[in-house]
Amino acid sequence: MSGSHRKTVLKVIILGDSGVGKTSLMQQFINGKFSQQYKATIGADFLPKDMVIDDRQATMQIWDTAGQERFQSLGVAFYRGSDCCVLVYDVTNTKSFENLQSWRDEFLIQANIKDPDNFPFVVIGNKIDC
């Protein structure tokens, strides 16, 4: 088997304030399901999704983290080795948007990113239906 056929694993971390809908976004993306029920994430949880990106097989390992500050100390282990960071805010909650900068800064420190200017961040405004 040649090297180009090996499956790539991409580690994606979802960050943002508690209650902005990180878990709902992940569930929707992975399973195509949406739940109205709110259940706080404890620590972190990850789900894999197999995809084809540029004609190559890849598995996205999507890590959903708790938004509560008390879990931010879990950072280092969870953030290390990330390939992308998704920052989520609630469009009905200005503070959750303002807090994205500190989530980004914290991620860059915890994940020990060597080239922060070129690291891929995705910002998602959630709860657009509200």
Side-chain angles (χ1 to χ4, degrees), residues 8-12 53 58-63 81 83:
T8 305
V9 176
L10 300 170
K11 184 175 179 181
V12 179
I53 302 169
T59 298
M60 283 179 77
Q61 222 181 55
I62 303 174
W63 289 76
D83 296 294

Side-chain angles (χ1 to χ4, degrees), residues 83-103:
D83 296 294
C84 177
C85 180
V86 177
L87 299 168
V88 183
Y89 71 98
D90 173 350
V91 296
T92 68
N93 178 343
T94 310
K95 188 90 183 103
S96 71
F97 179 74
E98 291 165 358
N99 289 342
L100 291 185
Q101 185 65 50
S102 58
W103 281 108

